[in-house]
Amino acid sequence: MESTKTRELANFHYISLTDKGNLRENNEDYFGYFDTVNGHVFVVCDGCGGLPCGEKASRTVVNAFKFFFSNFYYKDPFQAINDAVDYAQNCLKDEQSHDHTCYGMATTMVLVLVRYNKAYYANIGDSRIYYFSKRQFTLLTKDDSYVQMLVDRGELTLQEAEKHPRKNELTKVMGGMQQACKANVCAVPLDPLDGDLLLLCTDGLYNMVKEADIKAALAHRGYIEDKGTELIETAKKNGGLDNITLQIIKFYNVNYEKTDQRPSFSGILGGKKKNSFIISVFVVLLLLSVIVLALRYGKKHRTEFQNFTQGTILEVDIDTVKNADSLISLFEINPEHVNVKFKDGKKMMYLPIKKIITVRYYDDIYTLSKLYSTPVELILKVNSLKNTHLEPGTEIIIP
């Protein structure tokens, strides 16, 4: 079983797993994750068995998506997805023209694009996307298959479709000998909440594992690595007749993010443009004594200081920092709600920074202000910005 390590990103974790199953000699599934100028892209493809070069077809589409989303910025995510699908299908045609042994190769596809905490999704074929939210389990995609067409017409029930002899017959794929097709793109993006899960998978999973068991695995407490491994092992235990591939995305603290990783001052102030104003403030703080803070708050506030505000990620040792008033002014903290706590015999002041982001091509200060519920003026002030222009690659503090 091949996998990628779980990564912690801005507002989600993810895991990718694939296994050739019990019977297949080759694994014709392929997956990818890419952090691009258009957002975070997840894609799972299943090369069509019975047609030539299934492994090459799935790999070609995933690599085409990587190139397209990384190099062509779109303000409209829906248009980005549609144009990326067209580009990938053209890449399949080019591959077939260069290698005639692969003529007719085809693949299914499911794709998720995460941008500004919204998840846009699309599919072609019978690979699927499931959504698990607060114990609710939903199939987001609709299979492009013969039996699904009969279900839509009312000629079959979903239960009858599961056992139909033409269940695996697809009406739409990427590539093949048919004309280029359009993806089934979501009408509106998902707005995931804290703890929600998205599961992208090939039919090698859901044909071997009942939906009730998929839901139960996702509902278990624990790491998403364990959930994914359980699903793969269950599919193999139940027969493993096909390649099995899945990606699980877990969203967390989507609306108000927090991290336990505290960057150093140099990390915060690093990047292409250093924030000279904040540097100078911290230099002053390090040169002055703690007397001002002690006189300002006194012993009567020490009980209140034990309160730690969720969401703050930067701590300052105020035993060596005198001018707390400068910090209070800079971050517009209410003096009555200063967050101080004792740690290892030292008094630490916690600053209300929600996040430190690296600006990308689609970021602008007004969108960031809305996304993190922070006034534009405060972002400008804390980062010592003279205008609202954001240079890609610059690190920005979100207070």
Side-chain angles (χ1 to χ4, degrees):
M1 180 166 62
E2 299 177 11
S3 68
T4 61
K5 294 181 179 179
T6 298
R7 295 187 57 191
E8 293 192 11
L9 300 168
N11 64 332
F12 57 82
H13 303 165
Y14 80 90
I15 183 71
S16 302
L17 296 171
T18 189
D19 193 288
K20 68 183 182 64
N22 297 333
L23 300 183
R24 298 294 179 91
E25 294 183 1
N26 299 320
N27 192 342
E28 296 187 331
D29 293 351
Y30 202 68
F31 62 81
Y33 160 75
F34 316 109
D35 185 2
T36 76
V37 296
N38 287 284
H40 301 280
V41 177
F42 298 85
V43 59
V44 169
C45 291
D46 179 1
C48 295
L51 296 176
C53 303
E55 183 176 357
K56 187 172 185 178
S58 59
R59 185 184 297 267
T60 296
V61 168
V62 172
N63 289 337
F65 282 145
K66 177 182 181 181
F67 178 83
F68 188 90
F69 284 108
S70 298
N71 290 282
F72 302 102
Y73 169 67
Y74 282 71
K75 286 188 175 181
D76 181 358
F78 294 105
Q79 191 62 49
I81 292 173
N82 283 314
D83 286 0
V85 169
D86 290 343
Y87 174 78
Q89 291 184 102
N90 286 332
C91 289
L92 283 173
K93 289 182 179 179
D94 290 341
E95 288 292 334
Q96 294 178 63
S97 66
H98 292 126
D99 186 353
H100 295 293
T101 63
C102 289
Y103 181 73
M105 69 178 182
T107 182
T108 70
M109 176 277 295
V110 284
L111 177 145
V112 171
L113 171 63
V114 179
R115 183 160 161 178
Y116 289 138
N117 295 334
K118 294 184 182 294
Y120 303 79
Y121 58 92
N123 79 294
I124 295 176
D126 63 350
S127 293
R128 294 179 175 179
I129 303 174
Y130 292 94
Y131 181 41
F132 183 79
S133 178
K134 295 184 178 178
R135 303 286 173 179
Q136 298 297 314
F137 185 62
T138 307
L139 173 61
L140 295 180
T141 53
K142 181 182 287 189
D143 295 346
D144 293 312
S145 66
Y146 174 73
V147 295
Q148 183 62 52
M149 182 178 64
L150 296 180
V151 170
D152 293 341
R153 291 177 181 174
E155 298 177 21
L156 280 181
T157 66
L158 289 174
Q159 292 73 22
E160 292 170 337
E162 288 297 315
K163 300 178 181 179
H164 197 280
R166 298 176 66 179
K167 176 182 177 180
N168 295 323
E169 184 177 319
L170 301 181
T171 57
K172 191 164 67 173
V173 292
M174 296 185 72
M177 291 173 282
Q178 64 182 24
Q179 294 294 322
C181 60
K182 294 297 182 183
N184 309 308
V185 183
C186 62
V188 293
L190 281 175
D191 246 332
L193 300 175
D194 187 33
D196 287 359
L197 301 175
L198 280 175
L199 168 67
L200 294 73
C201 65
T202 59
D203 63 339
L205 177 68
Y206 67 78
N207 280 339
M208 295 289 102
V209 185
K210 295 179 180 178
E211 286 197 352
D213 294 330
I214 295 177
K215 176 182 178 182
L218 296 179
H220 291 168
R221 290 188 177 183
Y223 299 108
I224 55 176
E225 296 98 327
D226 298 331
K227 300 175 192 289
T229 301
E230 178 183 347
L231 288 170
I232 295 281
E233 293 303 321
T234 301
K236 294 178 70 175
K237 181 180 178 181
N238 292 344
L241 303 181
D242 200 353
N243 305 146
I244 311 157
T245 299
L246 63 84
Q247 290 183 317
I248 300 175
I249 311 167
K250 181 177 182 180
F251 295 87
Y252 67 96
N253 290 342
V254 175
N255 296 320
Y256 190 72
E257 296 163 356
K258 171 189 173 182
T259 175
D260 293 324
Q261 300 296 320
R262 292 191 310 274
S264 65
F265 290 169
S266 60
I268 295 172
L269 303 174
K272 296 181 179 179
K273 291 185 177 181
K274 292 185 179 295
N275 193 321
S276 58
F277 176 75
I278 297 181
I279 292 176
S280 63
V281 169
F282 281 10
V283 170
V284 171
L285 295 176
L286 292 172
L287 293 176
L288 300 175
S289 84
V290 75
I291 297 175
V292 171
L293 186 66
L295 293 176
R296 183 179 181 88
Y297 300 108
K299 295 182 180 180
K300 65 177 182 178
H301 289 288
R302 286 186 178 177
T303 301
E304 298 177 14
F305 285 171
Q306 306 307 308
N307 297 326
F308 178 77
T309 297
Q310 188 177 19
T312 58
I313 63 172
L314 177 64
E315 64 179 11
V316 180
D317 179 359
I318 59 174
D319 285 336
T320 58
V321 175
K322 174 184 178 181
N323 201 347
D325 287 337
S326 295
L327 285 175
I328 289 169
S329 174
L330 178 63
F331 289 96
E332 297 187 1
I333 309 171
N334 185 335
E336 298 299 323
H337 301 113
V338 170
N339 302 300
V340 177
K341 124 180 197 182
F342 290 94
K343 178 180 177 182
D344 299 328
K346 296 181 179 180
K347 191 180 293 183
M348 312 301 292
M349 181 174 179
Y350 291 85
L351 303 181
I353 298 175
K354 296 177 186 175
K355 190 175 167 105
I356 299 166
I357 69 163
T358 300
V359 175
R360 297 191 296 188
Y361 291 99
Y362 55 82
D363 290 322
D364 65 72
I365 198 163
Y366 298 102
T367 305
L368 295 178
S369 171
K370 182 178 180 181
L371 183 63
Y372 296 105
S373 301
T374 301
V376 170
E377 295 76 13
L378 185 54
I379 297 177
L380 292 171
K381 176 182 177 184
V382 168
N383 291 279
S384 191
L385 297 173
K386 296 180 179 179
N387 55 59
T388 59
H389 174 70
L390 297 179
E391 186 73 23
T394 304
E395 288 186 333
I396 295 292
I397 295 174
I398 306 296

